[in-house]
PDB file of all heavy atoms in Angstrom:
ATOM      1  N   PRO W   1      12.492 -19.315  -9.800  1.00 98.00           N
ATOM      2  CA  PRO W   1      11.649 -20.046  -8.803  1.00 98.00           C
ATOM      3  C   PRO W   1      12.473 -20.277  -7.546  1.00 98.00           C
ATOM      4  O   PRO W   1      13.678 -20.626  -7.603  1.00 98.00           O
ATOM      5  CB  PRO W   1      11.326 -21.287  -9.493  1.00 98.00           C
ATOM      6  CG  PRO W   1      11.317 -20.963 -10.982  1.00 98.00           C
ATOM      7  CD  PRO W   1      12.407 -19.999 -11.125  1.00 98.00           C
ATOM      8  N   GLY W   2      11.854 -20.062  -6.401  1.00 98.00           N
ATOM      9  CA  GLY W   2      12.479 -20.159  -5.116  1.00 98.00           C
ATOM     10  C   GLY W   2      13.085 -18.878  -4.625  1.00 98.00           C
ATOM     11  O   GLY W   2      13.535 -18.806  -3.447  1.00 98.00           O
ATOM     12  N   GLY W   3      13.174 -17.931  -5.500  1.00 98.00           N
ATOM     13  CA  GLY W   3      13.768 -16.571  -5.112  1.00 98.00           C
ATOM     14  C   GLY W   3      12.836 -15.711  -4.359  1.00 98.00           C
ATOM     15  O   GLY W   3      11.679 -16.107  -4.032  1.00 98.00           O
ATOM     16  N   SER W   4      13.302 -14.515  -4.131  1.00 98.00           N
ATOM     17  CA  SER W   4      12.539 -13.550  -3.296  1.00 98.00           C
ATOM     18  C   SER W   4      12.502 -12.123  -3.989  1.00 98.00           C
ATOM     19  O   SER W   4      13.413 -11.805  -4.767  1.00 98.00           O
ATOM     20  CB  SER W   4      13.220 -13.351  -1.962  1.00 98.00           C
ATOM     21  OG  SER W   4      13.219 -14.521  -1.194  1.00 98.00           O
ATOM     22  N   LEU W   5      11.443 -11.474  -3.750  1.00 97.00           N
ATOM     23  CA  LEU W   5      11.259 -10.092  -4.173  1.00 97.00           C
ATOM     24  C   LEU W   5      10.568  -9.314  -3.109  1.00 97.00           C
ATOM     25  O   LEU W   5       9.804  -9.894  -2.335  1.00 97.00           O
ATOM     26  CB  LEU W   5      10.498 -10.014  -5.509  1.00 97.00           C
ATOM     27  CG  LEU W   5      11.132 -10.371  -6.793  1.00 97.00           C
ATOM     28  CD1 LEU W   5      10.173 -10.338  -7.960  1.00 97.00           C
ATOM     29  CD2 LEU W   5      12.300  -9.376  -7.109  1.00 97.00           C
ATOM     30  N   SER W   6      10.728  -8.013  -3.112  1.00 97.00           N
ATOM     31  CA  SER W   6      10.023  -7.169  -2.191  1.00 97.00           C
ATOM     32  C   SER W   6       9.352  -6.017  -2.940  1.00 97.00           C
ATOM     33  O   SER W   6       9.941  -5.366  -3.810  1.00 97.00           O
ATOM     34  CB  SER W   6      10.984  -6.619  -1.176  1.00 97.00           C
ATOM     35  OG  SER W   6      10.317  -5.778  -0.244  1.00 97.00           O
ATOM     36  N   LEU W   7       8.084  -5.805  -2.629  1.00 98.00           N
ATOM     37  CA  LEU W   7       7.278  -4.679  -3.223  1.00 98.00           C
ATOM     38  C   LEU W   7       7.028  -3.700  -2.134  1.00 98.00           C
ATOM     39  O   LEU W   7       6.905  -4.040  -0.936  1.00 98.00           O
ATOM     40  CB  LEU W   7       6.018  -5.219  -3.813  1.00 98.00           C
ATOM     41  CG  LEU W   7       6.038  -6.379  -4.783  1.00 98.00           C
ATOM     42  CD1 LEU W   7       4.610  -6.740  -5.226  1.00 98.00           C
ATOM     43  CD2 LEU W   7       6.884  -6.001  -5.978  1.00 98.00           C
ATOM     44  N   SER W   8       6.986  -2.498  -2.559  1.00 97.00           N
ATOM     45  CA  SER W   8       6.565  -1.430  -1.584  1.00 97.00           C
ATOM     46  C   SER W   8       5.531  -0.508  -2.273  1.00 97.00           C
ATOM     47  O   SER W   8       5.527  -0.343  -3.459  1.00 97.00           O
ATOM     48  CB  SER W   8       7.760  -0.600  -1.138  1.00 97.00           C
ATOM     49  OG  SER W   8       8.361   0.083  -2.158  1.00 97.00           O
ATOM     50  N   CYS W   9       4.692   0.125  -1.428  1.00 96.00           N
ATOM     51  CA  CYS W   9       3.632   0.964  -1.962  1.00 96.00           C
ATOM     52  C   CYS W   9       3.522   2.144  -0.960  1.00 96.00           C
ATOM     53  O   CYS W   9       3.301   1.974   0.207  1.00 96.00           O
ATOM     54  CB  CYS W   9       2.329   0.177  -2.035  1.00 96.00           C
ATOM     55  SG  CYS W   9       0.877   1.163  -2.359  1.00 96.00           S
ATOM     56  N   THR W  10       3.673   3.338  -1.535  1.00 94.00           N
ATOM     57  CA  THR W  10       3.578   4.556  -0.689  1.00 94.00           C
ATOM     58  C   THR W  10       2.445   5.430  -1.209  1.00 94.00           C
ATOM     59  O   THR W  10       2.288   5.646  -2.428  1.00 94.00           O
ATOM     60  CB  THR W  10       4.942   5.316  -0.817  1.00 94.00           C
ATOM     61  OG1 THR W  10       6.005   4.499  -0.268  1.00 94.00           O
ATOM     62  CG2 THR W  10       4.824   6.595   0.066  1.00 94.00           C
ATOM     63  N   VAL W  11       1.683   5.937  -0.254  1.00 91.00           N
ATOM     64  CA  VAL W  11       0.552   6.794  -0.638  1.00 91.00           C
ATOM     65  C   VAL W  11       0.806   8.236  -0.124  1.00 91.00           C
ATOM     66  O   VAL W  11       1.429   8.377   0.957  1.00 91.00           O
ATOM     67  CB  VAL W  11      -0.786   6.264  -0.054  1.00 91.00           C
ATOM     68  CG1 VAL W  11      -0.733   6.177   1.448  1.00 91.00           C
ATOM     69  CG2 VAL W  11      -1.931   7.166  -0.507  1.00 91.00           C
ATOM     70  N   SER W  12       0.422   9.213  -0.984  1.00 87.00           N
ATOM     71  CA  SER W  12       0.627  10.562  -0.575  1.00 87.00           C
ATOM     72  C   SER W  12      -0.595  11.384  -1.046  1.00 87.00           C
ATOM     73  O   SER W  12      -1.371  10.911  -1.895  1.00 87.00           O
ATOM     74  CB  SER W  12       1.911  11.147  -1.202  1.00 87.00           C
ATOM     75  OG  SER W  12       1.885  11.095  -2.581  1.00 87.00           O
ATOM     76  N   GLY W  13      -0.733  12.566  -0.552  1.00 83.00           N
ATOM     77  CA  GLY W  13      -1.771  13.449  -0.963  1.00 83.00           C
ATOM     78  C   GLY W  13      -3.169  13.235  -0.364  1.00 83.00           C
ATOM     79  O   GLY W  13      -4.135  13.843  -0.811  1.00 83.00           O
ATOM     80  N   THR W  14      -3.222  12.437   0.661  1.00 76.00           N
ATOM     81  CA  THR W  14      -4.526  12.239   1.287  1.00 76.00           C
ATOM     82  C   THR W  14      -4.448  12.647   2.750  1.00 76.00           C
ATOM     83  O   THR W  14      -3.458  12.369   3.436  1.00 76.00           O
ATOM     84  CB  THR W  14      -5.022  10.786   1.227  1.00 76.00           C
ATOM     85  OG1 THR W  14      -6.300  10.686   1.967  1.00 76.00           O
ATOM     86  CG2 THR W  14      -4.088   9.789   1.857  1.00 76.00           C
ATOM     87  N   ARG W  15      -5.460  13.389   3.206  1.00 73.00           N
ATOM     88  CA  ARG W  15      -5.496  13.798   4.580  1.00 73.00           C
ATOM     89  C   ARG W  15      -6.389  12.836   5.437  1.00 73.00           C
ATOM     90  O   ARG W  15      -6.472  13.007   6.615  1.00 73.00           O
ATOM     91  CB  ARG W  15      -6.110  15.234   4.683  1.00 73.00           C
ATOM     92  CG  ARG W  15      -5.293  16.298   3.957  1.00 73.00           C
ATOM     93  CD  ARG W  15      -5.908  17.675   4.096  1.00 73.00           C
ATOM     94  NE  ARG W  15      -7.168  17.741   3.358  1.00 73.00           N
ATOM     95  CZ  ARG W  15      -8.361  17.845   3.927  1.00 73.00           C
ATOM     96  NH1 ARG W  15      -8.478  17.808   5.264  1.00 73.00           N
ATOM     97  NH2 ARG W  15      -9.459  17.927   3.207  1.00 73.00           N
ATOM     98  N   PHE W  16      -6.984  11.895   4.770  1.00 72.00           N
ATOM     99  CA  PHE W  16      -7.890  11.007   5.435  1.00 72.00           C
ATOM    100  C   PHE W  16      -7.231   9.750   5.883  1.00 72.00           C
ATOM    101  O   PHE W  16      -6.295   9.224   5.273  1.00 72.00           O
ATOM    102  CB  PHE W  16      -9.078  10.748   4.486  1.00 72.00           C
ATOM    103  CG  PHE W  16      -9.842  11.893   4.115  1.00 72.00           C
ATOM    104  CD1 PHE W  16      -9.595  12.565   2.917  1.00 72.00           C
ATOM    105  CD2 PHE W  16     -10.786  12.440   5.000  1.00 72.00           C
ATOM    106  CE1 PHE W  16     -10.306  13.682   2.576  1.00 72.00           C
ATOM    107  CE2 PHE W  16     -11.484  13.582   4.660  1.00 72.00           C
ATOM    108  CZ  PHE W  16     -11.260  14.206   3.443  1.00 72.00           C
ATOM    109  N   ARG W  17      -7.762   9.195   6.944  1.00 79.00           N
ATOM    110  CA  ARG W  17      -7.168   8.006   7.576  1.00 79.00           C
ATOM    111  C   ARG W  17      -7.283   6.841   6.595  1.00 79.00           C
ATOM    112  O   ARG W  17      -8.345   6.589   5.954  1.00 79.00           O
ATOM    113  CB  ARG W  17      -7.905   7.669   8.862  1.00 79.00           C
ATOM    114  CG  ARG W  17      -7.234   6.531   9.657  1.00 79.00           C
ATOM    115  CD  ARG W  17      -7.894   6.494  11.086  1.00 79.00           C
ATOM    116  NE  ARG W  17      -9.289   6.051  10.963  1.00 79.00           N
ATOM    117  CZ  ARG W  17      -9.603   4.762  11.116  1.00 79.00           C
ATOM    118  NH1 ARG W  17      -8.722   3.831  11.280  1.00 79.00           N
ATOM    119  NH2 ARG W  17     -10.942   4.449  11.036  1.00 79.00           N
ATOM    120  N   LEU W  18      -6.228   6.052   6.536  1.00 81.00           N
ATOM    121  CA  LEU W  18      -6.267   4.882   5.675  1.00 81.00           C
ATOM    122  C   LEU W  18      -6.905   3.744   6.450  1.00 81.00           C
ATOM    123  O   LEU W  18      -6.507   3.453   7.586  1.00 81.00           O
ATOM    124  CB  LEU W  18      -4.814   4.478   5.306  1.00 81.00           C
ATOM    125  CG  LEU W  18      -3.977   5.585   4.676  1.00 81.00           C
ATOM    126  CD1 LEU W  18      -2.581   4.991   4.247  1.00 81.00           C
ATOM    127  CD2 LEU W  18      -4.665   6.157   3.407  1.00 81.00           C
ATOM    128  N   THR W  19      -7.941   3.167   5.916  1.00 85.00           N
ATOM    129  CA  THR W  19      -8.633   2.090   6.594  1.00 85.00           C
ATOM    130  C   THR W  19      -7.979   0.739   6.258  1.00 85.00           C
ATOM    131  O   THR W  19      -8.054  -0.194   7.099  1.00 85.00           O
ATOM    132  CB  THR W  19     -10.070   2.029   6.193  1.00 85.00           C
ATOM    133  OG1 THR W  19     -10.207   1.936   4.784  1.00 85.00           O
ATOM    134  CG2 THR W  19     -10.787   3.323   6.645  1.00 85.00           C
ATOM    135  N   ALA W  20      -7.357   0.651   5.085  1.00 93.00           N
ATOM    136  CA  ALA W  20      -6.683  -0.635   4.748  1.00 93.00           C
ATOM    137  C   ALA W  20      -5.706  -0.405   3.578  1.00 93.00           C
ATOM    138  O   ALA W  20      -5.879   0.550   2.859  1.00 93.00           O
ATOM    139  CB  ALA W  20      -7.689  -1.740   4.355  1.00 93.00           C
ATOM    140  N   MET W  21      -4.647  -1.181   3.554  1.00 93.00           N
ATOM    141  CA  MET W  21      -3.697  -1.162   2.473  1.00 93.00           C
ATOM    142  C   MET W  21      -3.636  -2.603   1.964  1.00 93.00           C
ATOM    143  O   MET W  21      -3.404  -3.523   2.808  1.00 93.00           O
ATOM    144  CB  MET W  21      -2.366  -0.643   2.905  1.00 93.00           C
ATOM    145  CG  MET W  21      -2.457   0.749   3.471  1.00 93.00           C
ATOM    146  SD  MET W  21      -0.863   1.369   4.133  1.00 93.00           S
ATOM    147  CE  MET W  21      -0.096   1.942   2.638  1.00 93.00           C
ATOM    148  N   SER W  22      -3.724  -2.797   0.641  1.00 96.00           N
ATOM    149  CA  SER W  22      -3.834  -4.147   0.099  1.00 96.00           C
ATOM    150  C   SER W  22      -2.945  -4.327  -1.117  1.00 96.00           C
ATOM    151  O   SER W  22      -2.700  -3.389  -1.845  1.00 96.00           O
ATOM    152  CB  SER W  22      -5.250  -4.430  -0.288  1.00 96.00           C
ATOM    153  OG  SER W  22      -6.166  -4.121   0.718  1.00 96.00           O
ATOM    154  N   TRP W  23      -2.577  -5.557  -1.345  1.00 98.00           N
ATOM    155  CA  TRP W  23      -1.962  -5.982  -2.557  1.00 98.00           C
ATOM    156  C   TRP W  23      -2.851  -6.959  -3.394  1.00 98.00           C
ATOM    157  O   TRP W  23      -3.354  -7.911  -2.743  1.00 98.00           O
ATOM    158  CB  TRP W  23      -0.631  -6.603  -2.394  1.00 98.00           C
ATOM    159  CG  TRP W  23       0.489  -5.645  -1.979  1.00 98.00           C
ATOM    160  CD1 TRP W  23       0.909  -5.310  -0.773  1.00 98.00           C
ATOM    161  CD2 TRP W  23       1.237  -4.823  -2.945  1.00 98.00           C
ATOM    162  NE1 TRP W  23       1.893  -4.357  -0.829  1.00 98.00           N
ATOM    163  CE2 TRP W  23       2.140  -4.058  -2.157  1.00 98.00           C
ATOM    164  CE3 TRP W  23       1.215  -4.729  -4.298  1.00 98.00           C
ATOM    165  CZ2 TRP W  23       3.049  -3.174  -2.757  1.00 98.00           C
ATOM    166  CZ3 TRP W  23       2.196  -3.821  -4.875  1.00 98.00           C
ATOM    167  CH2 TRP W  23       3.028  -3.036  -4.091  1.00 98.00           C
ATOM    168  N   TYR W  24      -3.129  -6.650  -4.620  1.00 98.00           N
ATOM    169  CA  TYR W  24      -3.814  -7.557  -5.495  1.00 98.00           C
ATOM    170  C   TYR W  24      -2.840  -7.972  -6.618  1.00 98.00           C
ATOM    171  O   TYR W  24      -1.801  -7.387  -6.792  1.00 98.00           O
ATOM    172  CB  TYR W  24      -5.004  -6.838  -6.175  1.00 98.00           C
ATOM    173  CG  TYR W  24      -6.131  -6.609  -5.238  1.00 98.00           C
ATOM    174  CD1 TYR W  24      -6.123  -5.664  -4.244  1.00 98.00           C
ATOM    175  CD2 TYR W  24      -7.385  -7.306  -5.437  1.00 98.00           C
ATOM    176  CE1 TYR W  24      -7.213  -5.395  -3.419  1.00 98.00           C
ATOM    177  CE2 TYR W  24      -8.438  -7.105  -4.601  1.00 98.00           C
ATOM    178  CZ  TYR W  24      -8.374  -6.120  -3.640  1.00 98.00           C
ATOM    179  OH  TYR W  24      -9.458  -5.895  -2.799  1.00 98.00           O
TER     180      TYR W  24
END
């Protein structure tokens, strides 16, 4: 508790524009 973490998310394989990127 009180600490930090970092998440990352990379998308590949799509030619279409990304309208949003979300974390759930």
Side-chain angles (χ1 to χ4, degrees):
S4 298
L5 282 175
S6 180
L7 306 180
S8 63
C9 172
T10 299
V11 60
S12 60
T14 177
R15 297 181 293 110
F16 297 97
R17 188 171 68 94
L18 307 182
T19 57
M21 304 176 80
S22 310
W23 284 98
Y24 286 72

